[in-house]
């Protein structure tokens, strides 16, 4: 069961843009709205303006460029926000501007229809508001041969909107006027009832095309068995006679050997890591020792240089004492000052001894350091050798063994895979032969899609009950039985079909059929309920004498009963009725139970007509036909 709350309701319709006249607006309520008045006051124009925002062809809109109005606007309320739709007036005007606060509808420019897949379509707005999540993608079947077309609002809108030209039709009121559109409508109604998207059932090819494609598939499949058998033969040669059990056993053994090799590689790798870590530590120790030795050697050289200096000084003193200084210049015989050497300090023997002692100690220390470093140097060479051996073991022996074993495992697995492939190919051979047999036996005939078979169980009985209740509530005279015929897709009342009855009878029965469908859609049995119905003059022609005497006698009671009934079903959604006061009961009796919009056609008394500041001579409205 679905939510009974209507998805949307119209709050106002406006015709605007006249250079000298005010905008003309009619406001509506969620339930029953009755637009009434004498002929030629624009009642039908209100409904046409509504239809215009539901996608009516601009060329068929009664308010054209000649009226000097430029735009029609509609305001809509939903339980998630509100929308305003605006469409220019004039032939070829295909764009509708939509402003929306409802998250289901994007604000933007929509097209009445478009061949572009990227265009936003007006139909998607309305379908979104009644619960379709991706309305642009929904399809309906439009022929018995399963041709498909897009599901649009106008595919079924005629079942919810009857203008004055259709309300008294002799044909089924719910069916479209074009017989070619019948299947699409009935499928669209099935989608409303069940929520199904018929794109999944579509067959978009002709019978001839299907036959040609089937023959092409047969030709292709016929070439496959030879190729598949050739591959099977090659596999048999490659895998030999070894059993799968033996292969699996050998693979298990190889995997165990692989595990052992990997364990050895892991062990060697860990050992190598430890050796490298120790090697780094030894090298650091040797480097630190070499650095310290270098500093000690520099200090020893400094001591030795100072000791050598003492020797040079001592040698100088000896030379001076052995060779006395000259008293006169050997060139000019002049006397010269003589330095007797007393100004030169004598060597400090104690300091020299101290330096010598330090040098001896330092050399001893360097010797000890050399002796202590020798084992480290030997350990370094030994660690380097071991690291090289481990790296070689892994690289030269273990890794090649691992690759060899892995290759053997891959080879055995390939054999097992080929065995599986052979089984798959053998199964495929069987499938191909079965498909070939099936396709060679196929016959292609025209489709037999029956949209009525898609309707829920009990639909026809339920519709008949609702039709009977509606007619009874509206005082149909001497009502005994009423059925909604599956064959006719129309009402049969008291075993009579309406086509042979007068205009008033037909209008009444057609209105009852539409109201019965509305009742069903709003009952919760349907997946999507449009929640709106628009009827122009529901009792058109009832004021004239009727062919059926019993019906003729009920002409006075039916209008009152109909409007009483309409006031009781307002919770099912919005109803907008346009009616001539001559077909209606006393409007005072219903004015407090509905939204009554009255056009008086009298200046100074209420609203003259739909278009403000427009008088009788300015309008021509197709109303009140006398056809029976």
């Amino acid at each position: 069961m679905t939510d009974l709350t209507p998805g949307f309701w119209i709050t106002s319709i406006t015709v605007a843009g006249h250079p000298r006249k005010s905008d003309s607006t009619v406001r509506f309520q969620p339930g029953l709205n009755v637009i009434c008045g004498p002929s030629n006051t624009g009642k039908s124009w209100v409904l046409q303006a509504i239809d215009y925002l539901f996608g009516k062809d601009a060329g068929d809109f009664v308010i054209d460029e000649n009226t000097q109005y430029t735009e029609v606007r509609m305001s809509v309320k939903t339980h998630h926000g509100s929308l305003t739709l605006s469409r220019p007036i004039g032939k070829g005007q295909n764009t509708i501007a939509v402003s929306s606060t409802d998250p289901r509808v994007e604000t933007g420019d929509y097209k009445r229809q478009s061949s572009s897949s990227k265009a936003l379509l007006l139909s998607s707005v309305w379908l979104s508001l009644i619960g379709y999540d991706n309305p642009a993608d929904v399809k309906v079947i439009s022929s018995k041969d399963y041709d498909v077309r897009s599901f649009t609002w106008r595919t079924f809108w005629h079942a919810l909107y009857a203008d004055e030209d259709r309300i008294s039709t002799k044909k089924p009121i719910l069916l479209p006027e074009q017989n070619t559109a019948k299947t699409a409508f009935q499928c669209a109604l099935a989608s409303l009832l069940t929520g199904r998207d018929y794109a999944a059932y579509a067959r978009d090819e002709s019978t001839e095309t299907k036959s040609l494609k089937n023959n092409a598939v047969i030709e292709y499949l016929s070439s496959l068995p030879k190729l598949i058998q050739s591959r099977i033969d090659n596999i048999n040669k490659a895998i030999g006679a070894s059993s799968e059990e033996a292969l699996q056993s050998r693979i298990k053994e190889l995997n165990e050997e692989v595990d052992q090799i990997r364990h050895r590689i892991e062990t060697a790798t860990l050992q190598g890591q430890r050796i490298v870590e120790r090697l780094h530590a030894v090298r650091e120790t040797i480097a630190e020792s070499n650095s310290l030795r270098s500093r000690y050697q520099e200090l020893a050289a400094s001591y030795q240089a100072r000791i050598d200096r003492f020797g040079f000084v001592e040698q100088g003193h000896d030379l001076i004492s052995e060779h006395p200084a000259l008293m006169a210049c050997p060139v000019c015989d002049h006397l010269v000052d003589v330095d007797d050497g007393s100004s030169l300090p004598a060597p400090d023997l104690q300091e020299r001894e101290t330096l010598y002692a330090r040098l001896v100690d330092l050399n001893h220390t360097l010797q000890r350091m050399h002796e202590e470093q020798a084992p480290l140097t030997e350990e370094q060479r030994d660690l380097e050798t071991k690291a090289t051996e481990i790296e070689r073991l892994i690289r030269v022996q273990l890794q090649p063994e691992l690759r060899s074993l892995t290759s053997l495992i891959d080879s055995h697995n390939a054999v097992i895979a080929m065995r599986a492939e052979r089984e798959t190919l053998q199964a495929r051979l069987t499938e191909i032969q079965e498909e070939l047999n099936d396709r060679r036996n196929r016959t292609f005939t025209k489709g037999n899609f029956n949209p009525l078979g898609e309707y829920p169980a009990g639909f026809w009985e339920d519709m008949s009950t609702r039709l009977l209740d509606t007619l009874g509530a509206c005082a149909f005279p001497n009502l005994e039985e009423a059925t909604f015929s599956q064959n006719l897709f129309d009402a049969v009342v008291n075993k009579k079909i309406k086509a042979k009855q007068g205009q008033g009878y037909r209008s009444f029965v057609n209105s009852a059929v539409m109201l019965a469908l509305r009742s069903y859609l709003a009952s919760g049995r349907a997946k999507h309920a449009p929640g709106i119905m628009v009827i122009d003059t529901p009792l058109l022609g009832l004021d004239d004498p009727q062919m059926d005497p019993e019906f003729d006698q009920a002409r006075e009671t039916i209008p009152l009963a109909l409007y009483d009934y309409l006031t009781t079903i307002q919770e099912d959604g919005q109803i907008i009725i346009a009616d001539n006061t001559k077909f209606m009961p006393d409007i005072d009796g219903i004015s407090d139970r509905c939204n009554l919009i009255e056009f008086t056609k009298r200046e100074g008394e209420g609203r003259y007509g739909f278009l403000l500041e427009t008088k009788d001579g300015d309008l021509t409205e197709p109303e009140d036909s006398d056809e029976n």
Side-chain angles (χ1 to χ4, degrees):
M1 303 292 281
T2 57
D3 187 359
L4 304 185
T5 305
F8 69 90
W9 60 95
I10 301 169
T11 58
S12 69
I13 189 77
T14 300
V15 176
H18 196 284
R20 295 178 301 278
K21 298 179 181 180
S22 302
D23 295 349
S24 298
T25 299
V26 172
R27 303 189 184 281
F28 302 103
Q29 294 179 356
L32 176 61
N33 301 267
V34 179
I35 308 165
C36 64
S39 300
N40 207 33
T41 52
K43 302 184 299 297
S44 295
W45 287 22
V46 177
L47 305 192
Q48 282 212 34
I50 292 173
D51 191 20
Y52 193 57
L53 270 304
F54 279 105
K56 183 182 183 70
D57 191 322
D60 297 332
F61 187 31
V62 66
I63 303 176
D64 57 18
E65 304 99 314
N66 296 327
T67 65
Q68 298 188 58
Y69 288 95
T70 62
E71 181 183 48
V72 178
R73 293 194 301 269
M74 179 191 289
S75 296
V76 175
K77 186 73 174 175
T78 77
H79 293 285
H80 302 279
S82 60
L83 293 84
T84 299
L85 298 91
S86 176
R87 183 179 179 186
I89 293 173
K91 290 184 178 180
Q93 295 293 352
N94 193 38
T95 301
I96 300 89
V98 177
S99 175
S100 172
T101 63
D102 188 317
R104 297 171 296 176
V105 177
E106 176 184 352
T107 294
D109 289 339
Y110 288 74
K111 297 294 183 182
R112 173 182 171 268
Q113 57 186 18
S114 175
S115 58
S116 172
S117 60
K118 297 182 180 180
L120 298 172
L121 297 179
L122 175 63
S123 177
S124 296
V125 173
W126 301 116
L127 294 177
S128 294
L129 296 185
I130 64 172
Y132 283 94
D133 293 331
N134 298 293
D137 299 330
V138 180
K139 305 293 182 183
V140 293
I141 298 173
S142 60
S143 73
K144 292 184 179 295
D145 201 30
Y146 291 85
D147 295 321
V148 297
R149 53 169 285 186
S150 295
F151 176 47
T152 69
W153 182 268
R154 299 199 73 82
T155 311
F156 61 86
W157 173 233
H158 61 273
L160 308 176
Y161 168 53
D163 61 21
E164 196 175 29
D165 293 333
R166 288 187 60 244
I167 193 59
S168 61
T169 181
K170 295 179 180 180
K171 298 178 180 179
I173 187 66
L174 298 183
L175 293 181
E177 294 181 359
Q178 303 86 359
N179 191 52
T180 54
K182 175 181 175 181
T183 302
F185 160 69
Q186 291 178 328
C187 188
L189 180 56
S191 179
L192 291 175
L193 299 177
T194 65
R196 293 175 186 163
D197 177 4
Y198 286 88
Y201 298 89
R203 298 190 320 204
D204 54 359
E205 298 171 343
S206 66
T207 300
E208 181 180 1
T209 301
K210 295 189 190 87
S211 179
L212 290 173
K213 285 192 172 182
N214 185 63
N215 291 336
V217 173
I218 290 174
E219 183 178 357
Y220 167 71
L221 291 176
S222 298
S223 67
L224 294 182
K226 183 177 180 180
L227 297 174
I228 294 175
Q229 187 59 53
S230 175
R231 174 59 180 163
I232 291 175
D233 293 341
N234 290 334
I235 290 174
N236 288 335
K237 292 177 183 178
I239 65 178
S242 58
S243 66
E244 183 171 347
E245 291 77 8
L247 289 172
Q248 293 287 7
S249 176
R250 180 57 182 150
I251 289 173
K252 181 179 180 181
E253 293 174 358
L254 292 172
N255 280 325
E256 290 174 354
E257 292 182 34
V258 165
D259 290 340
Q260 293 173 1
I261 294 295
R262 286 176 174 164
H263 178 70
R264 290 179 63 191
I265 290 174
E266 182 179 355
T267 301
T269 301
L270 292 174
Q271 183 181 359
Q273 290 175 349
R274 289 193 294 270
I275 289 173
V276 169
E277 290 172 359
R278 175 56 186 165
L279 180 59
H280 287 165
V282 169
R283 284 173 175 170
E284 287 179 0
T285 301
I286 291 174
E288 290 175 359
S289 176
N290 287 337
S291 176
L292 185 59
R293 283 182 63 193
S294 177
R295 289 196 296 271
Y296 284 175
Q297 286 172 348
E298 291 178 359
L299 184 59
S302 172
Y303 288 167
Q304 185 64 52
R306 292 176 64 184
I307 292 171
D308 291 343
R309 180 175 173 275
F310 279 115
F312 293 151
V313 172
E314 185 178 6
Q315 185 178 6
H317 277 282
D318 291 341
L319 289 174
I320 290 173
S321 62
E322 291 177 0
H323 301 280
L326 294 177
M327 301 297 290
C329 175
V331 177
C332 60
D333 294 330
H334 285 177
L335 295 176
V336 295
D337 294 333
V338 177
D339 186 358
D340 58 4
S342 60
S343 62
L344 295 175
D348 187 342
L349 296 178
Q350 185 177 358
E351 181 181 358
R352 183 173 62 177
E353 289 300 325
T354 300
L355 288 172
Y356 185 79
R358 289 178 180 176
L359 179 60
V360 170
D361 290 342
L362 194 56
N363 285 331
H364 287 320
T365 299
L366 287 171
Q367 181 60 34
R368 284 197 307 273
M369 289 180 67
H370 176 72
E371 292 172 355
E372 291 173 356
Q373 186 174 327
L376 290 175
T377 303
E378 182 65 25
E379 183 181 3
Q380 177 181 334
R381 287 195 294 269
D382 182 56
L383 290 172
E384 288 173 346
T385 300
K386 289 181 179 179
T388 301
E389 290 175 351
I390 291 174
E391 185 273 335
R392 180 177 177 79
L393 172 66
I394 294 174
R395 177 174 55 83
V396 177
Q397 178 181 344
L398 297 180
Q399 287 184 338
E401 287 183 19
L402 180 62
R403 286 194 293 270
S404 176
L405 291 172
T406 303
S407 178
L408 283 173
I409 292 172
D410 291 342
S411 176
H412 291 339
N413 282 329
V415 172
I416 293 175
M418 283 191 287
R419 287 178 175 275
E421 181 187 357
R422 181 177 62 183
E423 294 177 1
T424 301
L425 291 173
Q426 290 170 338
R428 178 61 178 148
L429 273 178
T430 302
E431 292 173 359
I432 290 173
Q433 192 57 54
E434 291 174 353
E435 185 174 357
L436 280 170
N437 294 336
D438 174 65
R439 288 185 173 277
R440 286 167 178 159
N441 293 327
R442 285 184 186 180
T443 58
F444 295 92
T445 58
K446 290 290 183 180
N448 58 351
F449 175 68
N450 177 19
L452 305 186
E454 301 294 312
Y455 290 11
F459 171 76
W460 305 101
E461 182 180 354
D462 200 336
M463 271 291 291
S464 297
T465 300
R466 294 175 189 278
L467 176 63
L468 181 65
D469 292 344
T470 301
L471 289 170
C474 296
F476 190 97
N478 299 317
L479 180 65
E480 296 180 359
E481 60 177 301
T483 59
F484 186 70
S485 169
Q486 182 173 348
N487 292 330
L488 299 175
F489 213 82
D490 206 356
V492 177
V493 184
N494 291 342
K495 295 186 170 58
K496 295 179 182 179
I497 59 175
K498 70 185 183 196
K500 296 182 179 180
Q501 305 300 318
Q503 185 186 37
Y505 182 101
R506 297 195 304 272
S507 299
F508 181 25
V509 172
N510 284 338
S511 296
V513 170
M514 293 180 68
L515 291 170
L517 177 62
R518 173 182 180 272
S519 174
Y520 186 95
L521 292 173
S523 68
R525 290 173 171 79
K527 182 68 175 179
H528 302 284
I532 185 171
M533 181 156 286
V534 181
I535 302 177
D536 194 346
T537 321
L539 299 176
L540 178 64
L542 190 65
D543 59 321
D544 296 327
Q546 301 299 305
M547 297 170 59
D548 186 325
E550 294 178 348
F551 200 76
D552 190 65
Q553 294 175 6
R555 286 188 299 156
E556 301 300 325
T557 58
I558 288 175
L560 178 60
L562 171 63
Y563 277 94
D564 278 340
Y565 175 67
L566 292 176
T567 62
T568 66
I569 58 172
Q570 301 188 60
E571 292 184 358
D572 289 347
Q574 190 172 49
I575 306 175
I576 301 176
I577 302 291
D579 207 349
N580 195 305
T581 47
K582 71 177 181 178
F583 301 129
M584 298 177 62
D586 182 7
I587 60 175
D588 291 337
I590 62 170
S591 61
D592 61 343
R593 292 182 288 163
C594 69
N595 178 33
L596 188 66
I597 304 157
E598 184 178 5
F599 300 152
T600 65
K601 203 177 180 181
R602 293 190 297 272
E603 294 188 36
E605 297 185 27
R607 182 167 179 168
Y608 186 94
F610 174 36
L611 299 181
L612 300 179
E613 303 165 24
T614 301
K615 300 300 182 286
D616 189 19
D618 301 326
L619 298 177
T620 301
E621 185 177 19
E623 290 190 354
D624 310 334
S625 170
D626 293 330
E627 178 186 352
N628 285 310

